Protein backbone atom coordinates (compact mmCIF):
# COMPACT_ATOMS: atom_id res chain seq x y z
CA UNK A 1 0.00 0.00 0.00
CA UNK A 2 1.64 3.21 -1.13
CA UNK A 3 -1.13 5.57 -0.12
CA UNK A 4 -0.61 8.54 2.10
CA UNK A 5 -2.45 8.12 5.37
CA UNK A 6 -4.48 11.21 6.19
CA UNK A 7 -3.61 11.57 9.87
CA UNK A 8 -5.94 13.82 11.81
CA UNK A 9 -7.68 15.11 8.69
CA UNK A 10 -11.21 13.91 9.58
CA UNK A 11 -11.70 13.04 5.88
CA UNK A 12 -10.27 10.56 3.36
CA UNK A 13 -7.61 12.22 1.18
CA UNK A 14 -7.39 12.20 -2.63
CA UNK A 15 -5.52 8.86 -2.68
CA UNK A 16 -8.38 7.07 -0.95
CA UNK A 17 -11.18 8.94 -2.67
CA UNK A 18 -9.71 8.21 -6.11
CA UNK A 19 -9.35 4.54 -5.29
CA UNK A 20 -12.96 4.55 -4.11
CA UNK A 21 -14.06 6.15 -7.38
CA UNK A 22 -11.92 3.73 -9.42
CA UNK A 23 -13.41 0.78 -7.56
CA UNK A 24 -10.00 -0.17 -6.21
CA UNK A 25 -10.76 -0.10 -2.49
CA UNK A 26 -11.47 -3.28 -0.56
CA UNK A 27 -15.09 -3.94 0.33
CA UNK A 28 -14.59 -2.71 3.90
CA UNK A 29 -12.91 0.55 2.92
CA UNK A 30 -15.54 0.98 0.26
CA UNK A 31 -18.20 0.79 2.96
CA UNK A 32 -16.36 3.26 5.20
CA UNK A 33 -15.82 5.80 2.45
CA UNK A 34 -19.34 5.58 1.03
CA UNK A 35 -20.70 6.00 4.57
CA UNK A 36 -18.47 9.02 5.16
CA UNK A 37 -19.76 10.57 1.91
CA UNK A 38 -23.31 10.44 3.21
CA UNK A 39 -22.17 12.58 6.16
CA UNK A 40 -19.92 14.94 4.21
CA UNK A 41 -21.16 17.02 1.23
CA UNK A 42 -17.64 18.30 0.46
CA UNK A 43 -16.10 14.86 0.09
CA UNK A 44 -19.20 13.78 -1.83
CA UNK A 45 -18.69 16.66 -4.21
CA UNK A 46 -15.02 15.84 -4.67
CA UNK A 47 -15.83 12.15 -5.21
CA UNK A 48 -18.43 13.19 -7.81
CA UNK A 49 -15.78 15.41 -9.41
CA UNK A 50 -13.28 12.55 -9.55
CA UNK A 51 -15.97 10.34 -11.04
CA UNK A 52 -16.71 13.09 -13.56
CA UNK A 53 -13.01 13.27 -14.38
CA UNK A 54 -12.72 9.50 -14.85
CA UNK A 55 -15.84 9.40 -17.02
CA UNK A 56 -14.73 12.34 -19.15
CA UNK A 57 -11.44 10.57 -19.84
CA UNK A 58 -13.27 7.37 -20.76
CA UNK A 59 -15.68 9.26 -23.00
CA UNK A 60 -12.88 11.10 -24.77
CA UNK A 61 -10.21 8.46 -25.36
CA UNK A 62 -9.35 5.02 -26.67
CA UNK A 63 -12.57 3.58 -28.13
CA UNK A 64 -12.33 -0.01 -29.43
CA UNK A 65 -14.49 -1.39 -32.25
CA UNK A 66 -17.37 -3.59 -31.14
CA UNK A 67 -18.86 -6.57 -33.00
CA UNK A 68 -21.78 -5.72 -35.26
CA UNK A 69 -24.14 -8.20 -33.66
CA UNK A 70 -24.13 -6.68 -30.17
CA UNK A 71 -26.33 -3.79 -31.27
CA UNK A 72 -28.83 -6.24 -32.80
CA UNK A 73 -28.84 -8.32 -29.69
CA UNK A 74 -29.27 -5.23 -27.50
CA UNK A 75 -32.10 -3.98 -29.69
CA UNK A 76 -33.91 -7.32 -29.43
CA UNK A 77 -33.56 -7.27 -25.66
CA UNK A 78 -34.89 -3.75 -25.20
CA UNK A 79 -37.80 -4.48 -27.51
CA UNK A 80 -38.65 -7.40 -25.24
CA UNK A 81 -38.41 -5.18 -22.20
CA UNK A 82 -40.53 -2.38 -23.58
CA UNK A 83 -39.55 1.21 -23.05
CA UNK A 84 -38.86 2.71 -19.68
CA UNK A 85 -41.57 5.26 -20.44
CA UNK A 86 -44.32 2.77 -21.27
CA UNK A 87 -43.16 0.44 -18.57
CA UNK A 88 -41.49 2.33 -15.73
CA UNK A 89 -40.49 0.36 -12.67
CA UNK A 90 -43.35 0.65 -10.20
CA UNK A 91 -42.85 1.53 -6.57
CA UNK A 92 -43.61 -2.11 -5.75
CA UNK A 93 -40.97 -3.35 -8.19
CA UNK A 94 -38.41 -1.00 -6.76
CA UNK A 95 -39.38 -2.12 -3.26
CA UNK A 96 -39.14 -5.77 -4.36
CA UNK A 97 -35.63 -5.19 -5.68
CA UNK A 98 -34.61 -3.47 -2.48
CA UNK A 99 -33.88 -6.03 0.19
CA UNK A 100 -35.89 -5.64 3.38
CA UNK A 101 -33.79 -3.62 5.75
CA UNK A 102 -33.83 -4.69 9.37
CA UNK A 103 -32.05 -1.63 10.73
CA UNK A 104 -34.08 1.56 10.47
CA UNK A 105 -31.88 3.89 12.47
CA UNK A 106 -31.79 7.12 10.42
CA UNK A 107 -28.35 8.01 11.86
CA UNK A 108 -26.83 5.00 10.08
CA UNK A 109 -25.95 5.49 6.39
CA UNK A 110 -28.08 3.44 4.02
CA UNK A 111 -25.15 1.45 2.57
CA UNK A 112 -24.31 0.25 6.05
CA UNK A 113 -27.88 -0.25 7.28
CA UNK A 114 -28.63 -2.68 4.51
CA UNK A 115 -25.80 -4.96 5.72
CA UNK A 116 -27.10 -5.17 9.29
CA UNK A 117 -29.39 -8.07 10.23
CA UNK A 118 -31.10 -6.17 13.07
CA UNK A 119 -31.41 -2.83 14.82
CA UNK A 120 -28.18 -1.66 16.42
CA UNK A 121 -29.14 -2.72 19.96
CA UNK A 122 -30.35 -6.12 18.72
CA UNK A 123 -27.16 -7.10 16.90
CA UNK A 124 -25.29 -10.18 18.19
CA UNK A 125 -22.58 -8.10 19.86
CA UNK A 126 -19.46 -9.62 21.38
CA UNK A 127 -18.48 -7.93 24.63
CA UNK A 128 -14.91 -7.04 25.34
CA UNK A 129 -13.27 -5.70 28.49
CA UNK A 130 -16.04 -5.56 31.06
CA UNK A 131 -19.31 -4.44 29.55
CA UNK A 132 -18.20 -1.07 28.22
CA UNK A 133 -16.97 -2.13 24.77
CA UNK A 134 -18.67 -4.45 22.31
CA UNK A 135 -17.90 -5.45 18.74
CA UNK A 136 -19.96 -6.71 15.82
CA UNK A 137 -18.00 -8.10 12.88
CA UNK A 138 -19.51 -7.38 9.47
CA UNK A 139 -17.14 -8.95 7.00
CA UNK A 140 -13.64 -9.83 5.88
CA UNK A 141 -11.98 -10.02 2.48
CA UNK A 142 -8.66 -9.30 0.80
CA UNK A 143 -6.80 -9.12 4.10
CA UNK A 144 -9.21 -6.55 5.54
CA UNK A 145 -11.89 -6.99 8.10
CA UNK A 146 -14.54 -4.51 9.14
CA UNK A 147 -17.28 -4.14 11.70
CA UNK A 148 -18.81 -1.97 14.39
CA UNK A 149 -17.48 -1.04 17.81
CA UNK A 150 -19.81 0.32 20.45
CA UNK A 151 -18.38 2.00 23.52
CA UNK A 152 -20.30 3.42 26.46
CA UNK A 153 -20.16 7.17 27.09
CA UNK A 154 -17.01 8.07 28.97
CA UNK A 155 -15.42 4.70 28.15
CA UNK A 156 -12.04 4.26 26.54
CA UNK A 157 -10.47 1.75 24.22
CA UNK A 158 -7.25 0.06 25.37
CA UNK A 159 -4.02 1.86 24.49
CA UNK A 160 -2.91 0.32 21.19
CA UNK A 161 -0.53 0.54 18.24
CA UNK A 162 -1.12 -0.53 14.64
CA UNK A 163 0.65 -2.96 12.34
CA UNK A 164 -1.24 -1.77 9.31
CA UNK A 165 -4.08 0.60 8.54
CA UNK A 166 -6.96 1.27 10.89
CA UNK A 167 -9.74 3.38 9.41
CA UNK A 168 -12.63 4.49 11.60
CA UNK A 169 -15.83 6.31 10.80
CA UNK A 170 -17.70 7.71 13.78
CA UNK A 171 -21.42 7.09 13.39
CA UNK A 172 -22.61 8.37 16.76
CA UNK A 173 -21.02 10.17 19.67
CA UNK A 174 -17.45 11.44 19.75
CA UNK A 175 -13.97 10.46 20.83
CA UNK A 176 -10.61 12.08 21.24
CA UNK A 177 -7.04 10.83 21.34
CA UNK A 178 -3.53 12.25 21.05
CA UNK A 179 -4.17 13.09 17.35
CA UNK A 180 -7.30 15.18 17.84
CA UNK A 181 -10.99 15.03 18.67
CA UNK A 182 -13.55 13.52 16.37
CA UNK A 183 -17.32 13.63 16.03
CA UNK A 184 -20.02 11.78 14.10
CA UNK A 185 -19.20 11.68 10.38
CA UNK A 186 -15.45 12.02 10.89
CA UNK A 187 -13.14 9.62 9.10
CA UNK A 188 -10.01 8.78 11.08
CA UNK A 189 -7.01 6.87 9.78
CA UNK A 190 -4.11 5.42 11.75
CA UNK A 191 -1.02 3.45 10.73
CA UNK A 192 2.20 2.13 12.26
CA UNK A 193 3.26 5.63 13.25
CA UNK A 194 0.37 6.09 15.68
CA UNK A 195 -0.18 4.64 19.14
CA UNK A 196 -3.33 5.94 20.75
CA UNK A 197 -6.11 5.46 23.23
CA UNK A 198 -9.47 6.77 22.00
CA UNK A 199 -11.51 8.22 24.88
CA UNK A 200 -15.23 8.53 24.31
CA UNK A 201 -17.18 11.69 25.00
CA UNK A 202 -19.02 11.66 28.31
CA UNK A 203 -22.44 12.71 26.95
CA UNK A 204 -23.20 9.92 24.49
CA UNK A 205 -22.27 6.35 23.71
CA UNK A 206 -19.97 6.10 20.70
CA UNK A 207 -20.66 3.89 17.70
CA UNK A 208 -17.90 3.45 15.11
CA UNK A 209 -17.47 1.58 11.87
CA UNK A 210 -13.91 0.34 11.44
CA UNK A 211 -11.80 -1.40 8.82
CA UNK A 212 -8.41 -2.98 9.55
CA UNK A 213 -5.85 -4.61 7.27
CA UNK A 214 -3.64 -5.86 10.08
CA UNK A 215 -4.29 -6.66 13.72
CA UNK A 216 -3.94 -3.83 16.17
CA UNK A 217 -1.63 -4.41 19.08
CA UNK A 218 -2.79 -3.74 22.62
CA UNK A 219 -0.29 -2.66 25.20
CA UNK A 220 -0.24 -4.82 28.33
CA UNK A 221 0.07 -8.60 28.57
CA UNK A 222 -3.41 -9.31 29.92
CA UNK A 223 -5.10 -7.46 27.08
CA UNK A 224 -2.86 -9.13 24.56
CA UNK A 225 -4.28 -12.49 25.64
CA UNK A 226 -7.85 -11.23 25.65
CA UNK A 227 -7.51 -9.47 22.35
CA UNK A 228 -10.27 -10.25 19.83
CA UNK A 229 -8.78 -7.70 17.44
CA UNK A 230 -5.59 -9.73 17.05
CA UNK A 231 -7.16 -11.93 14.44
CA UNK A 232 -7.79 -10.71 10.92
CA UNK B 1 -9.97 9.55 -31.37
CA UNK B 2 -11.62 12.56 -29.83
CA UNK B 3 -9.13 14.32 -27.63
CA UNK B 4 -9.01 17.68 -26.02
CA UNK B 5 -6.79 19.49 -28.45
CA UNK B 6 -5.81 23.06 -28.98
CA UNK B 7 -5.31 23.84 -25.32
CA UNK B 8 -1.70 24.08 -24.38
CA UNK B 9 -1.76 26.26 -21.31
CA UNK B 10 0.18 24.82 -18.42
CA UNK B 11 -1.35 26.49 -15.41
CA UNK B 12 -0.43 23.67 -13.10
CA UNK B 13 3.27 24.07 -13.79
CA UNK B 14 3.73 27.79 -13.98
CA UNK B 15 3.32 30.73 -11.66
CA UNK B 16 -0.35 30.97 -12.65
CA UNK B 17 -1.13 27.81 -10.69
CA UNK B 18 -2.48 29.82 -7.79
CA UNK B 19 -4.68 32.20 -9.76
CA UNK B 20 -8.31 32.13 -8.71
CA UNK B 21 -10.60 29.91 -10.77
CA UNK B 22 -12.58 32.86 -12.07
CA UNK B 23 -9.47 34.53 -13.45
CA UNK B 24 -8.38 31.35 -15.14
CA UNK B 25 -11.83 30.92 -16.65
CA UNK B 26 -11.57 34.37 -18.17
CA UNK B 27 -8.07 33.62 -19.42
CA UNK B 28 -9.19 30.39 -20.97
CA UNK B 29 -12.19 31.89 -22.66
CA UNK B 30 -10.01 34.57 -24.15
CA UNK B 31 -8.64 32.65 -27.12
CA UNK B 32 -10.99 31.35 -29.82
CA UNK B 33 -9.31 27.96 -30.22
CA UNK B 34 -9.60 27.20 -26.53
CA UNK B 35 -13.16 28.39 -26.45
CA UNK B 36 -13.91 26.14 -29.41
CA UNK B 37 -12.47 23.04 -27.73
CA UNK B 38 -14.46 23.66 -24.56
CA UNK B 39 -17.64 24.52 -26.40
CA UNK B 40 -17.55 21.34 -28.45
CA UNK B 41 -17.13 19.26 -25.30
CA UNK B 42 -20.06 21.04 -23.66
CA UNK B 43 -22.09 20.44 -26.81
CA UNK B 44 -21.33 16.74 -26.57
CA UNK B 45 -22.55 16.69 -22.96
CA UNK B 46 -25.80 18.41 -23.94
CA UNK B 47 -26.28 16.05 -26.87
CA UNK B 48 -25.95 13.07 -24.55
CA UNK B 49 -28.43 14.60 -22.10
CA UNK B 50 -30.91 14.96 -24.95
CA UNK B 51 -30.39 11.32 -25.93
CA UNK B 52 -31.02 10.15 -22.38
CA UNK B 53 -34.18 12.22 -22.22
CA UNK B 54 -35.36 10.59 -25.43
CA UNK B 55 -34.44 7.12 -24.15
CA UNK B 56 -36.47 7.75 -20.99
CA UNK B 57 -39.44 8.31 -23.32
CA UNK B 58 -38.74 5.08 -25.22
CA UNK B 59 -37.02 6.57 -28.28
CA UNK B 60 -35.00 3.77 -29.92
CA UNK B 61 -33.27 6.20 -32.33
CA UNK B 62 -31.77 8.10 -29.38
CA UNK B 63 -30.73 4.83 -27.81
CA UNK B 64 -28.98 3.89 -31.04
CA UNK B 65 -27.03 7.15 -31.05
CA UNK B 66 -25.99 6.74 -27.44
CA UNK B 67 -25.05 3.12 -28.04
CA UNK B 68 -23.01 4.11 -31.09
CA UNK B 69 -21.09 6.64 -29.04
CA UNK B 70 -20.61 4.67 -25.82
CA UNK B 71 -20.29 1.00 -26.82
CA UNK B 72 -16.75 1.43 -28.29
CA UNK B 73 -15.68 3.63 -25.39
CA UNK B 74 -17.01 1.25 -22.77
CA UNK B 75 -15.21 -1.50 -24.60
CA UNK B 76 -11.93 0.37 -24.45
CA UNK B 77 -12.47 0.88 -20.72
CA UNK B 78 -13.54 -2.69 -19.94
CA UNK B 79 -10.71 -4.18 -22.00
CA UNK B 80 -8.27 -2.02 -20.04
CA UNK B 81 -9.77 -3.39 -16.82
CA UNK B 82 -8.65 -6.80 -18.09
CA UNK B 83 -11.81 -8.35 -19.49
CA UNK B 84 -11.63 -10.56 -22.59
CA UNK B 85 -13.20 -9.38 -25.82
CA UNK B 86 -16.32 -11.51 -25.41
CA UNK B 87 -16.85 -10.74 -21.70
CA UNK B 88 -16.38 -7.02 -22.39
CA UNK B 89 -19.06 -7.18 -25.10
CA UNK B 90 -21.43 -9.05 -22.78
CA UNK B 91 -20.92 -6.39 -20.13
CA UNK B 92 -21.49 -3.56 -22.62
CA UNK B 93 -24.86 -5.06 -23.46
CA UNK B 94 -25.82 -5.31 -19.80
CA UNK B 95 -24.72 -1.74 -19.17
CA UNK B 96 -26.59 -0.39 -22.20
CA UNK B 97 -29.74 -2.30 -21.25
CA UNK B 98 -29.54 -0.79 -17.77
CA UNK B 99 -29.24 2.62 -19.41
CA UNK B 100 -32.41 1.87 -21.35
CA UNK B 101 -34.28 0.65 -18.28
CA UNK B 102 -33.18 3.36 -15.89
CA UNK B 103 -32.85 6.41 -18.14
CA UNK B 104 -35.86 8.00 -16.44
CA UNK B 105 -33.89 7.97 -13.17
CA UNK B 106 -31.01 9.93 -14.71
CA UNK B 107 -30.94 13.42 -13.23
CA UNK B 108 -28.96 15.91 -15.33
CA UNK B 109 -28.52 18.26 -12.38
CA UNK B 110 -26.61 15.58 -10.47
CA UNK B 111 -24.20 14.11 -13.01
CA UNK B 112 -22.95 14.28 -16.55
CA UNK B 113 -24.31 11.47 -18.73
CA UNK B 114 -20.80 10.03 -19.03
CA UNK B 115 -20.48 9.96 -15.24
CA UNK B 116 -23.78 8.18 -14.84
CA UNK B 117 -22.93 5.61 -17.51
CA UNK B 118 -19.40 5.17 -16.19
CA UNK B 119 -20.83 4.51 -12.73
CA UNK B 120 -23.04 1.75 -14.08
CA UNK B 121 -20.16 0.25 -16.07
CA UNK B 122 -17.71 0.48 -13.21
CA UNK B 123 -20.11 -1.09 -10.69
CA UNK B 124 -20.92 -3.87 -13.12
CA UNK B 125 -17.24 -4.37 -13.96
CA UNK B 126 -16.22 -4.55 -10.30
CA UNK B 127 -19.02 -6.98 -9.48
CA UNK B 128 -17.90 -9.17 -12.35
CA UNK B 129 -14.24 -9.08 -11.26
CA UNK B 130 -15.29 -10.03 -7.72
CA UNK B 131 -17.51 -12.82 -9.03
CA UNK B 132 -14.70 -14.22 -11.18
CA UNK B 133 -12.34 -14.04 -8.22
CA UNK B 134 -14.79 -15.93 -6.01
CA UNK B 135 -15.30 -18.49 -8.76
CA UNK B 136 -11.57 -19.04 -8.95
CA UNK B 137 -11.43 -19.41 -5.19
CA UNK B 138 -14.12 -22.08 -5.15
CA UNK B 139 -13.39 -24.17 -8.21
CA UNK B 140 -16.50 -25.49 -9.85
CA UNK B 141 -18.89 -23.14 -8.10
CA UNK B 142 -21.41 -21.69 -10.49
CA UNK B 143 -22.54 -18.47 -8.94
CA UNK B 144 -24.68 -16.66 -11.42
CA UNK B 145 -24.82 -12.90 -11.51
CA UNK B 146 -28.03 -11.58 -10.03
CA UNK B 147 -28.16 -8.55 -12.31
CA UNK B 148 -27.75 -4.85 -11.72
CA UNK B 149 -30.20 -3.58 -9.18
CA UNK B 150 -31.81 -0.25 -8.74
CA UNK B 151 -29.54 0.48 -5.81
CA UNK B 152 -26.28 0.30 -7.68
CA UNK B 153 -27.56 2.84 -10.17
CA UNK B 154 -29.27 5.35 -7.93
CA UNK B 155 -27.01 5.86 -4.97
CA UNK B 156 -26.92 9.62 -5.05
CA UNK B 157 -26.89 11.32 -1.72
CA UNK B 158 -30.08 13.26 -1.26
CA UNK B 159 -29.73 16.83 -0.12
CA UNK B 160 -26.36 17.51 -1.70
CA UNK B 161 -26.77 20.96 -3.14
CA UNK B 162 -24.53 22.07 -5.92
CA UNK B 163 -24.90 22.58 -9.60
CA UNK B 164 -23.24 19.73 -11.40
CA UNK B 165 -23.31 21.65 -14.68
CA UNK B 166 -21.04 24.16 -13.04
CA UNK B 167 -18.78 21.31 -11.95
CA UNK B 168 -18.76 19.85 -15.50
CA UNK B 169 -17.25 23.04 -16.80
CA UNK B 170 -14.66 23.05 -14.06
CA UNK B 171 -13.72 19.44 -14.73
CA UNK B 172 -13.40 20.05 -18.46
CA UNK B 173 -11.21 23.07 -17.77
CA UNK B 174 -9.13 21.11 -15.31
CA UNK B 175 -8.48 18.40 -17.91
CA UNK B 176 -7.77 20.93 -20.61
CA UNK B 177 -5.18 22.65 -18.45
CA UNK B 178 -3.19 19.56 -17.52
CA UNK B 179 0.35 19.39 -18.81
CA UNK B 180 0.96 16.43 -21.17
CA UNK B 181 2.83 14.58 -18.41
CA UNK B 182 0.06 15.05 -15.93
CA UNK B 183 -2.57 14.17 -18.47
CA UNK B 184 -0.78 10.93 -19.29
CA UNK B 185 -0.51 10.00 -15.60
CA UNK B 186 -4.15 10.87 -14.90
CA UNK B 187 -5.25 8.79 -17.90
CA UNK B 188 -3.27 5.76 -16.80
CA UNK B 189 -4.68 6.17 -13.30
CA UNK B 190 -8.36 6.67 -14.10
CA UNK B 191 -8.77 5.04 -17.48
CA UNK B 192 -6.55 2.00 -17.20
CA UNK B 193 -7.04 1.84 -13.41
CA UNK B 194 -3.31 1.32 -12.87
CA UNK B 195 -1.72 1.67 -9.45
CA UNK B 196 0.90 4.31 -8.67
CA UNK B 197 3.67 1.71 -8.81
CA UNK B 198 2.47 0.23 -12.11
CA UNK B 199 2.46 3.70 -13.67
CA UNK B 200 5.94 4.41 -12.31
CA UNK B 201 7.24 1.14 -13.77
CA UNK B 202 5.65 1.71 -17.17
CA UNK B 203 6.92 5.27 -17.48
CA UNK B 204 10.31 4.39 -16.00
CA UNK B 205 9.97 7.12 -13.37
CA UNK B 206 10.43 7.08 -9.60
CA UNK B 207 7.31 6.22 -7.63
CA UNK B 208 7.60 9.55 -5.81
CA UNK B 209 7.31 11.45 -9.08
CA UNK B 210 4.08 9.70 -10.00
CA UNK B 211 2.63 10.18 -6.54
CA UNK B 212 3.46 13.87 -6.45
CA UNK B 213 2.13 14.39 -9.99
CA UNK B 214 -1.19 12.86 -9.01
CA UNK B 215 -1.29 14.62 -5.67
CA UNK B 216 -0.62 17.98 -7.25
CA UNK B 217 -3.25 17.46 -9.95
CA UNK B 218 -5.95 16.06 -7.67
CA UNK B 219 -5.25 18.61 -4.95
CA UNK B 220 -5.77 21.23 -7.63
CA UNK B 221 -9.09 19.63 -8.57
CA UNK B 222 -10.11 19.77 -4.91
CA UNK B 223 -9.32 23.46 -4.87
CA UNK B 224 -11.28 24.05 -8.07
CA UNK B 225 -14.37 22.18 -6.83
CA UNK B 226 -14.39 22.93 -3.12
CA UNK B 227 -12.13 25.93 -2.82
CA UNK B 228 -9.88 24.30 -0.25
CA UNK B 229 -6.31 23.05 -0.53
CA UNK B 230 -6.78 20.28 2.01
CA UNK B 231 -9.68 18.40 3.54
CA UNK B 232 -11.14 20.44 6.40
Amino acid sequence: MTHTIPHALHHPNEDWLSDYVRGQTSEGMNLLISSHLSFCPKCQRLADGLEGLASTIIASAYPEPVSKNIWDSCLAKIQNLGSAASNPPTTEQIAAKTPTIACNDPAIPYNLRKLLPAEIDQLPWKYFVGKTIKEYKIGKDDGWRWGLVYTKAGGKLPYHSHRGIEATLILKGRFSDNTGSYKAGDFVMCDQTITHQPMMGVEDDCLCLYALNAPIQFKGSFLRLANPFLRI
Amino acid sequence: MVRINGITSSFLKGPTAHKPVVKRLILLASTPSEQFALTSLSKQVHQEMAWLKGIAQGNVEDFKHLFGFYAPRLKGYLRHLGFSNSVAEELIQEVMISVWRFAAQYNPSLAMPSTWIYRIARNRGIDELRRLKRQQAIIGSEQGYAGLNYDSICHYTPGVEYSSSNDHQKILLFLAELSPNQRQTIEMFFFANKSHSMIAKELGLPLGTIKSRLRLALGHLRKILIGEENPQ
Side-chain angles (χ1 to χ4, degrees):
Chain A
M1 188 73 58
T2 57
H3 288 6
T4 314
I5 302 299
H7 294 127
L9 276 185
H10 305 239
H11 302 271
N13 61 10
E14 284 83 359
D15 282 355
W16 293 94
L17 276 183
S18 325
D19 269 13
Y20 169 74
V21 162
R22 301 190 309 148
Q24 298 293 299
T25 41
S26 65
E27 228 175 307
M29 280 302 290
N30 197 61
L31 178 64
L32 253 88
I33 295 174
S34 68
S35 301
H36 172 73
L37 296 185
S38 73
F39 281 97
C40 180
K42 282 183 185 173
C43 286
Q44 176 75 58
R45 184 168 185 175
L46 185 57
D48 286 352
L50 290 168
E51 210 175 31
L53 178 65
S55 70
T56 307
I57 290 169
I58 288 160
S60 67
Y62 316 119
E64 281 189 27
V66 291
S67 320
K68 287 252 180 318
N69 60 358
I70 79 163
W71 164 250
D72 296 332
S73 140
C74 240
L75 186 63
K77 282 177 191 154
I78 63 161
Q79 278 164 346
N80 268 337
L81 277 172
S83 82
S86 65
N87 194 9
T90 62
T91 322
E92 289 78 20
Q93 279 172 328
I94 290 167
K97 281 178 189 294
T98 313
T100 320
I101 295 177
C103 174
N104 292 302
D105 188 336
I108 309 295
Y110 177 75
N111 283 348
L112 171 57
R113 273 199 291 135
K114 66 182 183 184
L115 300 176
L116 302 177
E119 295 290 355
I120 297 294
D121 54 358
Q122 301 295 317
L123 289 172
W125 293 97
K126 292 238 163 61
Y127 282 92
F128 173 61
V129 194
K131 286 259 167 183
T132 57
I133 306 170
K134 53 187 182 178
E135 189 202 9
Y136 171 70
K137 291 181 181 177
I138 297 176
K140 66 176 190 177
D141 188 33
D142 265 348
W144 288 80
R145 71 177 183 78
W146 57 98
L148 298 170
V149 174
Y150 194 105
T151 315
K152 291 269 189 216
K156 54 188 176 188
L157 290 180
Y159 192 60
H160 64 269
S161 60
H162 310 87
R163 291 185 202 159
I165 295 167
E166 173 197 79
T168 309
L169 176 73
I170 306 184
L171 299 164
K172 292 179 179 186
R174 48 179 69 230
F175 75 69
S176 55
D177 63 12
N178 51 344
T179 68
S181 48
Y182 304 96
K183 58 179 192 314
D186 283 354
F187 179 91
V188 191
M189 260 189 159
C190 291
D191 61 7
Q192 292 90 332
T193 62
I194 289 182
T195 300
H196 68 162
Q197 178 168 41
M199 322 265 265
M200 309 305 143
V202 289
E203 319 83 42
D204 298 299
D205 294 355
C206 184
L207 175 65
C208 294
L209 174 67
Y210 70 83
L212 292 168
N213 73 349
I216 59 175
Q217 200 163 25
F218 290 152
K219 304 294 178 186
S221 52
F222 168 71
L223 284 174
R224 213 168 284 156
L225 287 174
N227 186 357
F229 293 88
L230 278 176
R231 295 178 297 274
I232 270 287
Chain B
M1 203 184 290
V2 185
R3 300 291 291 266
I4 302 170
N5 290 322
I7 299 176
T8 50
S9 52
S10 51
F11 289 90
L12 286 171
K13 290 188 302 190
T16 49
H18 301 294
K19 285 210 171 149
V21 172
V22 181
K23 265 195 184 164
R24 294 178 16 256
L25 280 168
I26 295 166
L27 278 173
L28 272 164
S30 66
T31 76
S33 69
E34 290 173 353
Q35 208 168 22
F36 176 76
L38 288 169
T39 313
S40 63
L41 272 165
S42 291
K43 268 190 189 153
Q44 174 64 32
V45 171
H46 284 111
Q47 175 64 74
E48 291 171 30
M49 285 177 175
W51 286 337
L52 280 174
K53 203 173 164 190
I55 295 166
Q57 292 159 356
N59 188 324
V60 177
E61 237 358 77
D62 284 336
F63 184 63
K64 193 175 180 178
H65 287 305
L66 190 88
F67 187 98
F69 183 79
Y70 272 105
R73 286 167 170 82
L74 288 176
K75 185 157 173 192
Y77 172 57
L78 292 165
R79 295 280 283 134
H80 272 85
L81 290 189
F83 290 109
S84 69
N85 193 54
S86 61
V87 173
E89 294 201 339
E90 277 297 313
L91 294 177
I92 293 166
Q93 288 190 56
E94 285 184 34
V95 171
M96 293 313 294
I97 287 164
S98 296
V99 168
W100 173 261
R101 288 177 60 207
F102 295 106
Q105 268 77 43
Y106 168 72
N107 181 345
S109 68
L110 289 177
M112 288 187 278
S114 60
T115 308
W116 188 69
I117 295 167
Y118 164 71
R119 182 178 294 166
I120 299 173
R122 181 202 56 197
N123 288 344
R124 183 64 192 92
I126 295 164
D127 283 350
E128 187 62 19
L129 287 173
R130 287 205 177 123
R131 196 177 70 86
L132 291 173
K133 202 179 86 186
R134 274 202 302 273
Q135 246 177 14
Q136 279 174 346
I138 315 160
I139 296 164
S141 85
E142 270 297 314
Q143 270 180 301
Y145 181 67
L148 274 168
N149 61 25
Y150 189 77
D151 253 22
S152 62
I153 293 167
C154 307
H155 73 252
Y156 296 108
T157 312
V160 177
E161 288 170 21
Y162 59 86
S163 155
S164 87
S165 59
N166 195 18
D167 281 357
H168 302 165
Q169 288 294 337
K170 290 178 183 172
I171 291 164
L172 297 181
L173 279 171
F174 167 80
L175 260 174
E177 289 175 13
L178 289 174
S179 68
N181 281 344
Q182 266 167 332
R183 167 113 194 164
Q184 182 189 37
T185 310
I186 290 269
E187 280 189 0
M188 290 173 86
F189 189 62
F190 282 105
F191 182 77
N193 251 354
K194 293 187 195 303
S195 67
H196 293 165
S197 41
M198 282 158 79
I199 298 173
K201 205 172 161 189
E202 263 182 54
L203 297 181
L205 290 166
L207 181 61
T209 308
I210 300 304
K211 286 172 79 172
S212 66
R213 250 184 216 174
L214 279 168
R215 187 160 316 133
L216 193 66
L218 299 181
H220 190 61
L221 183 67
R222 175 190 291 277
K223 203 175 169 203
I224 290 171
L225 295 178
I226 310 176
E228 289 165 3
E229 297 267 10
N230 291 304
Q232 279 171 19

